[in-house]
């Protein structure tokens, strides 16, 4: 069985993957949304109060912020020609987008100390060059794997994981056998059982 384990929310997975690759399931939004063969096994979303606080902060902060949901994707401080649904007020998810469930957010730039103070008790940050992901504590790619394995009656030793990003680290450390692409950061490669070619050279396919 093959599952996609991604930092993207379910609503932000490209159509060419959804429609073009035969997958048995999805662990999306850093473990916040777990689905197997069409069945939702686990979902966790930001509360309305958390959403309001995040929107208020980022509207004032001014940086580009993407709110990734189970069904759609939204933007605060959008870039030019941004096709995402726009968020311009803390009231938007009470009025315009009522019922939308937000799993995770991605923000341009670096995490500020103010953000760590305001949100660090509830959220954790995965930092990448030029942007960072912010997700609810208690959810990550490894916990998402565990949900699927419990459903199947399997253990981590029955799994192989492949990745190249810092948000893959917990998944790679949890799996029975782990593979990094050569383009992965050093910390990720050191955590893996094997390293293959870069993603542009065929990656794990070779």
């Amino acid at each position: 069985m093959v599952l996609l384990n991604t930092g993207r929310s379910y609503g932000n997975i490209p159509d060419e993957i959804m429609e073009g690759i035969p997958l048995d399931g999805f662990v999306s939004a850093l473990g916040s949304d777990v689905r197997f063969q069409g069945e939702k096994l686990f979902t966790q979303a930001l509360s309305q109060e958390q959403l309001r606080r995040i929107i208020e902060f980022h509207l004032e902060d001014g940086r580009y912020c993407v709110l990734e949901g189970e069904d759609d994707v939204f933007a605060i401080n959008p870039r030019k020609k941004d096709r995402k649904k726009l968020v311009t007020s803390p009231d938007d998810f009470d009025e315009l987008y009522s019922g939308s469930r937000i799993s995770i957010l991605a923000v341009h730039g670096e995490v500020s100390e103010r953000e760590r103070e305001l949100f660090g008790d509830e959220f954790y940050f995965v930092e990448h060059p030029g942007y960072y992901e912010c997700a609810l504590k208690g959810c990550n790619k490894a916990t998402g794997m565990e949900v699927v394995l419990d459903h199947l009656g399997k253990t981590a030793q029955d799994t192989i994981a492949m990745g190249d990003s810092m948000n893959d680290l917990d998944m790679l450390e949890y799996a029975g056998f782990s593979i990094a692409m050569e383009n992965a950061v050093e910390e990720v490669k050191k955590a893996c059982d094997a390293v293959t070619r870069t993603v542009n050279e065929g990656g794990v396919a070779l």
Side-chain angles (χ1 to χ4, degrees):
M1 290 174 282
V2 179
L3 291 89
L4 175 64
N5 199 340
T6 178
R8 290 174 179 261
S9 74
Y10 190 77
N12 198 27
I13 298 173
D15 290 340
E16 55 266 32
I17 292 176
M18 288 291 206
E19 299 167 3
I21 301 175
L23 294 166
D24 294 289
F26 300 86
V27 176
S28 56
L30 297 179
S32 300
D33 189 334
V34 183
R35 308 177 189 220
F36 182 75
Q37 295 182 346
E39 178 184 357
K40 285 187 180 181
L41 302 184
F42 175 82
T43 61
Q44 181 167 311
L46 278 64
S47 69
Q48 294 298 103
E49 186 271 335
Q50 288 170 328
L51 269 175
R52 292 187 67 87
R53 286 167 47 218
I54 285 169
I55 293 167
E56 287 171 356
F57 176 87
H58 285 289
L59 284 173
E60 181 180 347
D61 179 67
R63 283 179 295 166
Y64 182 52
C65 175
V66 178
L67 302 173
E68 299 189 32
E70 293 181 10
D71 300 306
D72 218 327
V73 185
F74 307 84
I76 304 173
N77 306 314
R79 295 168 172 171
K80 291 181 179 179
K81 298 181 180 179
D82 202 319
R83 296 183 179 180
K84 302 175 184 66
K85 294 183 177 179
L86 304 187
V87 175
T88 60
S89 164
D91 298 324
D92 282 356
F93 284 92
D94 295 314
E95 300 172 359
L96 291 177
Y97 310 129
S98 177
S100 297
R101 287 170 55 85
I102 301 301
S103 310
I104 192 172
L105 54 145
V107 185
H108 181 77
E110 298 180 355
V111 185
S112 68
E113 288 306 313
R114 182 63 175 152
E115 284 169 281
R116 295 186 196 277
E117 292 172 8
L118 289 174
F119 305 116
D121 289 341
E122 304 156 86
F123 297 87
Y124 70 96
F125 307 95
V126 182
E127 300 179 62
H128 306 274
Y131 79 102
Y132 62 90
E133 296 167 300
C134 180
L136 290 164
K137 285 186 173 180
C139 293
N140 56 50
K141 291 188 177 184
T143 63
M145 288 176 67
E146 190 172 19
V147 169
V148 177
L149 292 170
D150 287 346
H151 179 73
L152 296 173
K154 302 290 184 179
T155 70
Q157 293 307 308
D158 299 311
T159 65
I160 298 172
M162 300 167 283
D164 62 2
S165 171
M166 281 302 296
N167 71 14
D168 293 321
L169 189 57
D170 54 79
M171 169 189 76
L172 295 165
E173 291 175 334
Y174 179 77
F177 190 84
S178 56
I179 306 168
M181 273 74 85
E182 179 60 35
N183 56 281
V185 295
E186 286 302 314
E187 188 174 352
V188 168
K189 288 192 281 190
K190 288 178 180 178
C192 288
D193 299 297
V195 177
T196 186
R197 295 184 185 182
T198 70
V199 65
N200 291 328
E201 297 173 311
V204 294
L206 302 174

